Amino acid sequence: MVNINDCIASIAQNGELNQTPKYTVTKAAKMLGLSVHTLRYYDSLKLFPFLQRDQNEKRLFSDADLQWAKLIECLRNANMSIKDVQHYVKLCLQGDETLDERLTIINQQEKILIDTITQLNEQLALLKFKKQYYKTAHQITKLFQ
């Protein structure tokens, strides 16, 4: 499972990442804690712009591809849609002239997550209230038995 530290590391790399293809899809999936199916699905959506294949058309992942996978997972873990991830990846490939648009996307996704967290906290508060209500009701019922 890709976590926040992986996400930070994926954007904090100094210098170029190694683009030498060396990991099979099975090995890459294991290293990332993702399923082979997920990596193949992401590849089918063109989310790995530099992914290479061997003479038998089998996917070969480089260290750079693994970092792309981590970025994709970070965005997906932030509830970004696949369509938006595809757009974001395209913007990344266009370079620094898209920084403002990428910042807008990240700001929008942050707002969506904050709204979701607020809703979840409200739902959690309701469940906690109901839990306490039932505990109290259960105790009272036991007293009168």
Side-chain angles (χ1 to χ4, degrees):
M1 172 64 107
V2 175
N3 63 35
I4 187 64
N5 293 327
D6 293 320
C7 296
I8 292 168
S10 74
I11 60 171
Q13 295 291 331
N14 293 328
E16 292 292 316
L17 289 168
N18 188 334
Q19 292 190 14
T20 304
K22 54 187 165 185
Y23 309 111
T24 64
V25 68
T26 303
K27 176 71 174 170
K30 188 171 187 174
M31 292 170 70
L32 294 165
L34 300 173
S35 71
V36 169
H37 173 78
T38 297
L39 289 180
R40 288 180 177 145
Y41 175 64
Y42 288 167
D43 181 40
S44 73
L45 297 174
K46 309 287 188 231
L47 295 178
F48 298 121
F50 309 110
L51 188 68
Q52 297 181 41
R53 294 179 182 264
D54 68 10
Q55 65 275 9
N56 297 320
E57 289 300 308
K58 291 186 178 181
R59 296 167 182 85
L60 289 176
F61 290 79
S62 67
D63 292 328
D65 296 318
L66 297 182
Q67 291 305 318
W68 273 102
K70 289 177 183 179
L71 172 63
I72 292 163
E73 273 299 288
C74 291
L75 296 174
R76 294 291 295 140
N77 289 340
N79 291 333
M80 186 179 283
S81 71
I82 285 290
K83 180 181 171 190
D84 288 342
V85 171
Q86 286 176 303
H87 180 64
Y88 186 85
V89 166
K90 286 178 187 176
L91 292 173
C92 289
L93 295 173
Q94 293 173 24
D96 288 348
E97 65 267 11
T98 66
L99 286 173
D100 288 340
E101 190 173 353
R102 285 185 271 163
L103 177 58
T104 298
I105 291 168
I106 296 301
N107 283 334
Q108 289 170 342
Q109 197 61 39
E110 179 184 45
K111 183 182 179 332
I112 290 168
L113 274 183
I114 289 170
D115 291 346
T116 300
I117 291 168
T118 300
Q119 291 172 0
L120 289 173
N121 280 329
E122 290 170 359
Q123 293 167 0
L124 181 59
L126 174 65
L127 289 177
K128 285 181 176 182
F129 171 79
K130 294 300 276 185
K131 179 180 170 182
Q132 188 59 43
Y133 173 82
Y134 291 127
K135 279 183 175 180
T136 303
H138 181 70
Q139 290 171 349
I140 291 171
T141 304
K142 278 188 156 189
L143 285 174
F144 291 105
Q145 287 181 351

